[in-house]
Amino acid sequence: MSRPVHPRAVANTAAQKRSYVRNILVGSIGNMIEWFDWFVYATFAVYFSGQFFPADDPTASLLNSAAVFAVGFLARPVGGWLLGRLADRKGRRAGLTVTVGLMSASALMIAVAPDHATAGYTGAVVLVVARLLQGLSVGGEYAASASYLTEVSAGHRRGLGGSFQYVSVTLGQLAGLVILIVLQTLLSEDQLTQWGWRIPFVIGALGAIAVFYLRRGMHETEAYVKAEATDVQERRGTLREVWRQRRAAVLVFALTLGGSVAYYTYTTYLNSYLVNSVGLPKEQASWVSFAALCVFLVLLPLGGYISDRIGRRPVLIFFGIGTTLGTYPILSGMKAWPTWGAALAFSILALTIVAGYSSVNAVVKAELFTTEVRTVGVAVPYNLAQALFGGTASYVALAFADAGHENWFFLYVSGCALISLITYALMPETSKASLVEEPEPVPDPVSDPR
């Protein structure tokens, strides 16, 4: 005969679920705002590029804006180290609060930067500084958010909780696209070029300020609190301790390499590819990207849930095999059948494969490191891989296309995915890993005469 469940136990369970959901939401909303501010730069660059550089050469202005965009990627490893160290030494809450504060400041700087006609190159300098701050912020945000979402999730649903890392990233992209579509509907192209492009940066700055105050009330994770109580304080957040766990750092770099290239190919570069190579109208290309990303949103938590059931490695291997073998037929298929429906079908197929990486990449990286260097250990190799491979994916694609060998880029994506696939096959399963390092036992002077 089963024993009745005490009402207090039911209440405690309900309270724990509410706390879990709140923590996931707080961590995810802040991450969404961070990545919204990061992506709207690329989304609206076509409108503001002529405002900060001489407008007599639109191509040169756009290239200058693209160069400033790249500056943000160069700053990301530095931000990962500085803010990752902060999150490991002062707590996940402290790290996440600082990152969103930096993003708010940088978005506001871009929103009020003077144009070239008013102040010469002063506005361009402000743009570079703001983009550097964005790079520092995002470099720390990814790893701090990955650590927080992983640590606040119960052991049997860490994959599901960690999947909201990329759910929020994708929501940030979608929010930027929605604002672009709304502004294109309400404003003329001249109005967007003159002042309308500043609106999303104002929205991003205000959103980041709201998240800043929201994050100040976040609960610190149990894993961090337990680690703080041990005798390893001097090792927290240090590169020396990361070097001791260098195998994990190499794994993070290698498993990020293929995933970042595939992610940026099918999210950031895809819109340009559909217009310039496939030949779709800009409006159709934008709607294809939007619809495919909406499907991607649903697939991400599903992938995280599956990884809690069968492990992280099978989900990652699914991505590795799919991208290695599927990139060439997917991208070439879009050119062979240049219709809206075919482009959408191929895009959904591609993002279904990419979901195998994006749904679990945050949690698996966090599970590779011990608590005292979890954030900085993830941040440095991840941001290096992003700067070298993810951030350059569009440039590599355009370089191959300009040289008349666009198909070589398809092979490049497959090759990067193959490197990661080998990594997935050889790495350990992390889903059962403990997030709290047990303290070293203190010798008993009676039983241990040493």
Side-chain angles (χ1 to χ4, degrees):
M1 185 175 180
S2 59
R3 299 175 61 183
V5 180
H6 196 281
R8 183 175 296 174
V10 175
N12 288 340
T13 302
Q16 289 172 352
K17 288 182 178 179
R18 287 195 298 270
S19 177
Y20 168 74
V21 171
R22 181 184 182 279
N23 289 333
I24 294 295
L25 286 176
V26 171
S28 299
I29 291 172
N31 199 44
M32 183 192 78
I33 294 295
E34 287 265 347
W35 288 94
F36 168 83
D37 287 337
W38 175 261
F39 282 118
V40 292
Y41 181 99
T43 304
F44 285 86
V46 66
Y47 293 106
F48 68 71
S49 58
Q51 299 295 307
F52 297 104
F53 304 98
D56 54 349
D57 188 347
T59 302
S61 296
L62 195 57
L63 285 173
N64 284 327
S65 296
V68 176
F69 180 77
V71 165
F73 277 95
L74 296 177
R76 284 177 61 167
V78 179
W81 169 53
L82 292 174
L83 298 175
R85 178 181 173 87
L86 173 67
D88 283 331
R89 296 186 73 86
K90 301 298 182 181
R92 315 305 186 214
R93 179 176 58 187
L96 288 168
T97 302
V98 172
T99 60
V100 79
L102 285 174
M103 187 59 78
S104 175
S106 62
L108 188 60
M109 288 173 66
I110 296 175
V112 302
D115 59 26
H116 186 269
T118 303
Y121 284 100
T122 301
V125 172
V126 173
L127 198 65
V128 171
V129 173
R131 194 61 184 170
L132 283 171
L133 289 178
Q134 283 191 328
L136 292 173
S137 174
V138 169
E141 170 71 22
Y142 173 88
S145 178
S147 296
Y148 184 81
L149 290 174
T150 301
E151 290 176 355
V152 298
S153 301
H156 64 283
R157 56 189 178 201
R158 289 203 304 249
L160 177 60
S163 70
F164 281 86
Q165 169 85 355
Y166 263 73
V167 168
S168 53
V169 170
T170 306
L171 281 172
Q173 285 182 279
L174 285 172
L177 279 173
V178 168
I179 289 177
L180 173 63
I181 292 170
V182 170
L183 291 178
Q184 286 174 332
T185 302
L186 298 178
L187 303 177
S188 67
E189 185 163 344
D190 184 62
Q191 289 174 319
L192 260 175
T193 301
Q194 292 300 318
W195 55 269
W197 62 267
R198 298 181 186 270
I199 294 174
F201 293 101
V202 173
I203 293 172
L206 294 176
I209 291 172
V211 172
F212 175 83
Y213 286 101
L214 188 64
R215 283 184 167 179
R216 290 181 65 186
M218 290 170 64
H219 295 293
E220 192 54 80
T221 69
E222 183 180 358
Y224 180 82
V225 172
K226 287 183 177 179
E228 193 176 28
T230 67
D231 58 350
V232 294
Q233 285 87 347
E234 71 280 358
R235 295 182 354 220
R236 293 210 305 267
T238 64
L239 292 180
R240 179 181 299 177
E241 182 61 24
V242 174
W243 177 251
R244 286 182 57 190
Q245 302 180 40
R246 56 189 176 275
R247 183 174 182 273
V250 172
L251 284 175
V252 168
F253 183 91
L255 67 88
T256 301
L257 190 158
S260 63
V261 171
Y263 180 81
Y264 276 93
T265 296
Y266 291 120
T267 58
T268 304
Y269 173 66
L270 182 65
N271 199 64
S272 298
Y273 178 75
L274 291 175
V275 173
N276 299 324
S277 299
V278 178
L280 290 184
K282 291 181 180 178
E283 294 78 11
Q284 287 190 11
S286 297
W287 280 108
V288 166
S289 297
F290 182 83
L293 284 174
C294 288
V295 176
F296 188 54
L297 273 178
V298 178
L299 295 173
L300 289 170
L302 178 62
Y305 174 80
I306 292 173
S307 78
D308 285 329
R309 295 290 181 175
I310 66 174
R312 319 292 186 224
R313 288 177 66 247
V315 179
L316 288 169
I317 290 172
F318 162 77
F319 157 77
I321 294 175
T323 305
T324 301
L325 300 179
T327 297
Y328 202 101
I330 287 173
L331 292 176
S332 59
M334 290 179 180
K335 295 177 70 174
W337 292 281
T339 64
W340 186 91
L344 178 59
F346 279 119
S347 298
I348 291 174
L349 174 60
L351 287 176
T352 299
I353 296 170
V354 173
Y357 165 78
S358 298
S359 62
V360 302
N361 85 94
V363 66
V364 75
K365 291 167 191 172
E367 289 169 341
L368 284 168
F369 287 94
T370 56
T371 306
E372 65 267 20
V373 290
R374 181 164 292 127
T375 307
V376 72
V378 171
V380 174
Y382 164 80
N383 283 298
L384 282 173
Q386 284 282 12
L388 294 173
F389 295 97
T392 59
S394 296
Y395 297 98
V396 173
L398 292 171
F400 279 129
D402 188 57
H405 300 290
E406 186 172 46
N407 290 4
W408 290 7
F409 176 68
F410 309 165
L411 299 175
Y412 171 78
V413 176
S414 295
C416 291
L418 178 60
I419 294 172
S420 290
L421 174 59
I422 295 171
T423 304
Y424 305 147
L426 298 177
M427 69 182 290
E429 176 57 57
T430 63
S431 58
K432 305 301 181 184
S434 173
L435 295 184
V436 181
E437 185 181 20
E438 294 297 327
E440 297 179 2
V442 178
D444 186 341
V446 177
S447 59
D448 188 349
R450 288 179 300 175

